[in-house]
């Protein structure tokens, strides 16, 4: 580990990271989509050691505000990966992405920290796209949420002996995402624990065909989204942990809406083929659920995470 680089003194960066939805039905642990709902973060280097976090919005009073905070740990991980000593830090987080609902909040926190580190280290260490993805995957465990958070759009992520890789695709302008968010949360670890070690050969083939079709539907043919979002690999196994989500997805799909579990759930993602279809889906859920669901009518984010090193801080 090198000594603290004097160029870090007084630096401040601002980071913006989108929410994400992973799996998209059949694309388990592979496909992810960035959504136009953003957490924002400002990080300033302090003269005193240690890290202090001010959390505003979602997670305020709940998430740690010291060095154990996931964003701080992600900054520290990135500094360590490139042999840099971590300075004292002051973080101000403005969070809107719901926690524990399948919208990539932990991935967004990890990406926020890594992008903050990239900005703070500008001119000291250069971190390319694959470096960002590698650091994020080391912390998250799999790249399907962090890839779209980093790069925006629709991402295909896979892992090689050389590390995680990604391909970003531009989504057809007719694709209109709707996310329905319940009051209850869902643990990603619990959702994963319900997944079997193996699945029937026929189910694997089914999902290969649907995930391939899904890419075509998202980038070229939105009218195919209902067929393309069918899944036999993970959603049915997790249904017992979120029965209301499972029931409403069944009702939405029976009515012709391409509804799937968003990430690990329990939120529902509806990949509508036109904006008007979203309002119909919202009405259906409102009329058939006894519990309240928040409706997030969102655009696809095409830019991904951004970081700005304040111009007056650059030497």
């Amino acid at each position: 580990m090198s000594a603290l680089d004097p160029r870090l003194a007084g630096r401040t960066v601002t980071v913006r990271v989108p929410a994400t939805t992973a799996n998209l039905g059949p694309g388990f642990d592979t496909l992810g989509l960035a959504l136009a709902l953003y957490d924002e973060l400002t990080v300033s280097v302090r003269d005193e050691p240690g890290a202090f976090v001010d959390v505003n919005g979602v997670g305020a009073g709940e998430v740690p505000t010291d060095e154990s905070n996931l964003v701080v740990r992600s900054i520290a991980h990135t500094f360590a990966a490139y042999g840099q000593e971590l300075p004292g830090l002051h973080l101000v987080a403005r969070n809107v992405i719901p926690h524990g609902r399948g919208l990539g909040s932990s991935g967004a926190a990890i990406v926020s920290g890594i992008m903050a580190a990239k900005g703070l280290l500008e001119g000291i260490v250069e971190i390319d796209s694959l470096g960002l993805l590698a650091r994020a995957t080391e912390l998250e465990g799999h790249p399907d949420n962090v890839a779209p958070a980093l790069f925006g759009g629709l991402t295909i992520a896979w892992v090689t002996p050389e590390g995680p890789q990604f391909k970003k695709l531009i989504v057809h302008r007719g694709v209109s995402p709707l996310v329905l968010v319940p009051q209850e949360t869902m643990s990603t670890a619990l959702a994963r624990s319900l997944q079997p070690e193996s699945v029937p050969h026929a189910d694997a083939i089914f999902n290969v065909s649907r995930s391939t079709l899904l890419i075509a539907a998202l980038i070229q043919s939105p009218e195919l989204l209902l067929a393309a979002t069918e899944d036999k690999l993970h959603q049915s196994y997790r249904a017992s942990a979120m029965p209301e989500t499972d029931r409403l997805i069944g009702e939405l799909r029976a009515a012709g809406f391409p509804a799937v579990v968003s990430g690990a759930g329990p939120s529902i993602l509806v990949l509508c083929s036109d904006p008007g279809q979203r309002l119909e889906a919202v009405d259906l859920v409102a009329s058939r659920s006894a519990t309240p669901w928040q409706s997030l009518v969102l655009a696809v984010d095409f830019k991904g995470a951004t970081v700005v090193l304040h111009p007056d801080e650059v030497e």
Side-chain angles (χ1 to χ4, degrees), residues 27-216:
F28 184 62
D29 275 4
T30 302
L31 299 180
L33 187 67
L35 302 171
L37 183 70
Y38 303 94
D39 281 354
E40 295 187 354
L41 174 73
T42 300
V43 182
S44 302
V45 174
R46 305 169 67 250
D47 292 333
E48 299 82 9
F52 301 88
V53 187
D54 295 323
V55 180
N56 303 288
V58 176
E62 299 172 4
V63 301
T65 56
D66 57 12
E67 288 89 345
S68 65
N69 181 280
L70 182 55
V71 179
V72 178
R73 289 191 282 122
S74 301
I75 297 173
H77 178 82
T78 307
F79 267 71
Y82 294 96
Q84 300 297 311
E85 183 178 339
L86 186 69
L89 299 171
H90 178 217
L91 289 73
V92 179
R94 295 169 291 278
N95 297 337
V96 299
I97 301 173
H99 287 185
R101 303 306 205 289
L103 285 170
S105 60
S106 63
I110 288 168
V111 169
S112 292
I114 290 169
M115 292 297 290
K118 173 182 170 64
L120 291 172
L121 290 169
E122 185 174 311
I124 301 169
V125 174
E126 296 306 317
I127 309 174
D128 64 12
S129 295
L130 289 180
L132 294 171
L133 183 60
R135 302 293 82 75
T137 304
E138 287 162 1
L139 291 162
E140 177 74 353
H142 41 90
D144 57 325
N145 262 318
V146 293
L150 281 166
F151 309 118
L154 169 67
T155 58
I156 308 168
W158 67 100
V159 178
T160 71
E162 292 73 39
Q165 311 288 322
F166 77 99
K167 174 63 179 176
K168 174 181 175 179
L169 300 170
I170 301 301
V171 176
H172 190 285
R173 63 183 180 181
V175 175
S176 303
L178 166 69
V179 180
L180 300 160
V181 184
Q183 291 181 318
E184 68 268 17
T185 62
M186 179 72 180
S187 160
T188 301
L190 172 59
R192 286 189 169 274
S193 73
L194 300 173
Q195 196 72 29
E197 289 294 322
S198 60
V199 296
H201 186 258
D203 289 354
I205 294 173
F206 181 96
N207 268 61
V208 169
S209 70
R210 295 311 190 273
S211 58
T212 306
L213 179 62
L214 179 56
I215 293 169

Side-chain angles (χ1 to χ4, degrees), residues 1 8 21 30 52 74 80 85 103 122 130 189 204 224 230 233 258 271 278 283 288 294 296 313:
M1 188 77 68
L8 287 167
T21 179
T30 302
F52 301 88
S74 301
E85 183 178 339
L103 285 170
E122 185 174 311
L130 289 180
L224 296 174
E230 292 179 302
L233 205 58
L271 289 168
R278 295 189 291 197
D283 289 343
R288 301 190 188 180
Q294 180 187 11
L296 300 177
E313 311 295 346

